[in-house]
Amino acid sequence: MDNIRNVVILGSGCAGHTAALYTARANLKPLVLEGHEPGGQLSLTTLVENFPGFPEGIQGPELIENMRKQAARFGAEYRLGHLDKADLSQRPFFLQVGKDTILTRTLIIASGASARWLGLPNEQALIGHGVSSCATCDGFFFSGKEIAVIGGGDSAMEEATFLTRFANKVTLIHRRDQFRASKIMLDRARHNPKIEFLTDTVVDDVLDASKKEVTALKLRHVKTSKVWDFPTSAMFLGIGHIPNAKMFQGQLDTDADGYLKTTNYVFTRVPGVYACGDVQDRRYRQAITAAGTACMAALEAEKFLEEQGQ
Ligand code: NAP
């Protein structure tokens, strides 16, 4: 049946475009469903300096647009929309996207993980201008400055410790006085002379959207209700990520936080269904590692179709 797709790829971040490039070059005419956040996390960042091949760095949105163009040049088809429902219990797999039904022989899940944001009035306007969820991507821009990190888990400790490479001072702001972080990571942060802790404190807003830069945070002490403006050049969020895998609950294995479980890098428990990038990677979460696992998923999908004689 020629209305059955060979490959459908969920997500249009770095992993989605890479899987599209490889499967398009294998002449499999992949369909990419772009998802809730077309372009993924790279489209939210500014200068990317750790993706090999760009000695001067490249803007995240430009990098992701280049990836898309490259895959489209080989025949990858892109469609706006996200998956409402999937039935992976039989092949071809059934996907519901809005009013459309799609049947596919293989599925590559590259739906990523979305950074958890605080939901502050001016937060979204300042992403890329001092508000960031990725210390590895954006820390360098704040060399010699003072930075705030929000959160009390391992991500926040890791980010705060990493950011001391650049910043003069890092203030870790946490809403409680107990930490979810592992002892070793908390101790490392506590012993770092550049890190100060502000506990029982929440952020009510970030300033100053009119200047397109972060100048201060509006803070509130949860026990005393004291409010004050806290001058800072950046706010890094380390309050967790949410893997975009909810729609596969019950059909694929996930860990306690909802990340898809894979074996041999990209295999889910359903033959013909692969997962790559941040939706299955809680550890590295880099563009280059997402591209790497996406390449593996694409090659496995190609091999699977070949073995099925399709
Ligand atoms: P997490 O353990 O869920 O911690 C999230 C932190 O953010 C918590 O302290 C939480 O506060 C805070 N938070 C969440 N929503 C908030 C909000 N709206 N306002 C203020 N604070 C908020 O997430 P994570 O740190 O990303 O870690 C996720 C998993 O990855 C963990 O299993 C962790 O061990 C692992 N991880 C490991 C490493 C490593 O080993 N190198 C590095 C990073 C992450 P409360 O505590 O009050 O809920």
Side-chain angles (χ1 to χ4, degrees):
M1 274 170 74
D2 57 8
N3 63 342
I4 302 178
R5 310 291 310 208
N6 285 317
V7 186
V8 170
I9 297 162
L10 297 183
S12 56
C14 184
H17 290 316
T18 305
L21 173 65
Y22 272 79
T23 50
R25 282 175 53 79
N27 220 11
L28 295 173
K29 299 183 173 48
L31 171 67
V32 182
L33 292 176
E34 299 208 37
H36 280 295
E37 295 169 1
Q41 292 186 56
L42 271 182
S43 66
L44 296 177
T45 186
T46 49
L47 192 62
V48 177
E49 293 184 311
N50 56 7
F51 199 88
F54 301 93
E56 306 302 322
I58 180 167
Q59 292 292 321
E62 190 187 349
L63 176 59
I64 204 74
E65 185 53 28
N66 285 349
M67 290 182 187
R68 182 196 166 103
K69 279 190 197 146
Q70 195 175 351
R73 181 157 78 86
F74 293 103
E77 189 187 326
Y78 284 84
R79 191 184 294 180
L80 283 173
H82 65 269
L83 184 68
D84 294 309
K85 211 169 125 193
D87 181 357
L88 308 180
S89 63
Q90 51 189 352
R91 281 202 301 271
F93 305 121
F94 166 94
L95 309 176
Q96 183 80 47
V97 181
K99 286 188 207 128
D100 295 338
T101 295
I102 300 171
L103 298 176
T104 184
R105 298 183 175 98
T106 64
L107 178 66
I108 297 179
I109 304 168
S111 46
S114 303
R116 206 173 260 140
W117 301 98
L118 287 169
L120 310 173
N122 287 304
E123 189 176 36
Q124 295 293 313
L126 286 167
I127 291 173
H129 301 278
V131 171
S132 173
S133 58
C134 178
T136 324
C137 320
D138 298 326
F140 181 78
F141 302 112
F142 301 96
S143 296
K145 303 267 171 69
E146 298 198 356
I147 295 178
V149 173
I150 318 301
D154 282 340
S155 291
M157 299 309 143
E158 193 172 58
E159 294 215 342
T161 305
F162 176 78
L163 287 166
T164 58
R165 294 186 194 184
F166 311 105
N168 281 346
K169 183 178 152 197
V170 174
T171 305
L172 192 129
I173 300 171
H174 181 38
R175 63 183 174 185
R176 297 188 294 144
D177 63 358
Q178 301 293 309
F179 290 90
R180 210 176 276 275
S182 52
K183 188 177 175 326
I184 184 163
M185 297 191 64
L186 180 60
D187 283 351
R188 195 173 296 149
R190 278 200 166 126
H191 291 130
N192 188 315
K194 280 188 172 181
I195 300 179
E196 277 182 16
F197 283 71
L198 262 182
T199 53
D200 291 321
T201 301
V202 293
V203 185
D204 282 339
D205 205 358
V206 49
L207 306 174
D208 182 343
S210 67
K211 291 190 182 146
K212 278 252 164 215
E213 64 173 319
V214 170
T215 56
L217 305 182
K218 285 204 163 295
L219 298 184
R220 178 167 45 88
H221 194 274
V222 290
K223 290 185 177 153
T224 63
S225 298
K226 177 189 153 195
V227 291
W228 73 105
D229 283 359
F230 177 81
T232 186
S233 300
M235 174 174 81
F236 282 83
L237 296 176
I239 60 172
H241 280 77
I242 306 169
N244 300 316
K246 258 200 190 119
M247 55 284 205
F248 299 110
Q249 242 169 23
Q251 302 194 68
L252 298 177
D253 296 330
T254 56
D255 70 12
D257 293 319
Y259 286 86
L260 288 179
K261 278 191 185 169
T262 50
T263 51
N264 282 335
Y265 303 108
V266 296
F267 290 81
T268 70
R269 74 168 147 94
V270 177
V273 178
Y274 308 92
C276 53
D278 288 7
V279 73
Q280 51 88 257
D281 169 23
R282 60 183 309 144
R283 187 174 174 87
Y284 300 107
R285 301 193 298 222
Q286 300 297 301
I288 189 68
T289 49
T293 52
C295 163
M296 297 176 205
L299 295 177
E300 292 301 344
E302 187 185 343
K303 194 159 164 256
F304 177 83
L305 288 168
E306 235 172 63
E307 285 167 1
Q308 303 284 310
Q310 284 155 345

